[in-house]
Amino acid sequence: MTYHLAPHKKHVFFIPENELKVILISVKELEVKKEIKLEAPQFYKKMPVDFYTWKEYLKLPKNSFEIDLQKWKSAYCRINKVIIEDNYLVLQVRTRSEQLKKFALLFYNPETFKLEKTIYTDDLLLGSRNGKYYFFAGGDPAFDEVDDFTIHIYSFKRGVEE
């Protein structure tokens, strides 16, 4: 399982990939100060409690672990990336919906932790800088069919994609 860290003012946000929650860690004392459950969008498919199953992989075909890992990383609404940009805590979540694009960007207010906007995309968020968001076109090459190497750069202002 992957965990994400995002520094914000006097705290570090510690966010597991499989839960919409933020654990606030004080930078000064290096102590957990609070645990906050984030609002889930309607499409959100929570990871089942018994999702990870232990197997004795030494007795299975060589690629069994890789097949299970791909299933574990792509069968629920996993958090792919966490950044702080434009005064938002931004989480990219896989939607797991046939009706939606592959991912959703969830923009939370980092002070109140309220979900303020959601933007859907088929592109994998790589990072951001100075209000620009960088994406790998077509999704995650480890889990999605990606034909070309293309980087898209977006800017999101006043709720409108530029």
Side-chain angles (χ1 to χ4, degrees), residues 86-138:
D86 292 332
N87 204 29
Y88 286 108
L89 167 63
V90 183
L91 278 58
Q92 185 178 47
V93 177
R94 188 173 281 275
T95 64
R96 302 303 314 147
S97 170
E98 299 282 328
Q99 294 76 34
L100 300 173
K101 294 188 177 194
K102 291 176 190 167
F103 304 101
L105 294 175
L106 307 177
F107 292 80
Y108 292 93
N109 180 312
E111 306 302 326
T112 64
F113 296 100
K114 299 287 184 209
L115 180 60
E116 294 191 358
K117 64 181 170 179
T118 302
I119 296 174
Y120 297 93
T121 181
D122 283 326
D123 300 336
L124 179 70
L125 179 62
L126 299 172
S128 66
R129 186 172 182 178
N130 298 328
K132 290 186 172 41
Y133 295 75
Y134 298 82
F135 293 85
F136 190 88

Side-chain angles (χ1 to χ4, degrees), residues 35-68:
E35 191 170 304
I36 298 136
K37 261 190 156 5
L38 297 173
E39 178 185 344
Q42 284 189 329
F43 70 81
Y44 190 77
K45 178 183 175 186
K46 188 174 157 181
M47 182 183 86
V49 175
D50 62 349
F51 193 65
Y52 291 111
T53 56
W54 183 84
K55 296 177 185 175
E56 205 169 322
Y57 286 100
L58 295 175
K59 296 179 181 178
L60 295 173
K62 282 188 176 194
N63 67 342
S64 295
F65 179 74
E66 287 80 14
I67 291 169
D68 279 351

Side-chain angles (χ1 to χ4, degrees), residues 10-16 20-27 29-38 109-114:
K10 298 178 184 176
H11 293 97
V12 171
F13 297 161
F14 179 84
I15 303 169
L20 285 177
K21 76 175 180 183
V22 175
I23 299 167
L24 289 176
I25 300 171
S26 165
V27 173
E29 295 99 18
L30 294 178
E31 293 177 351
V32 172
K33 292 298 184 181
K34 194 185 236 184
E35 191 170 304
I36 298 136
K37 261 190 156 5
L38 297 173
N109 180 312
E111 306 302 326
T112 64
F113 296 100
K114 299 287 184 209

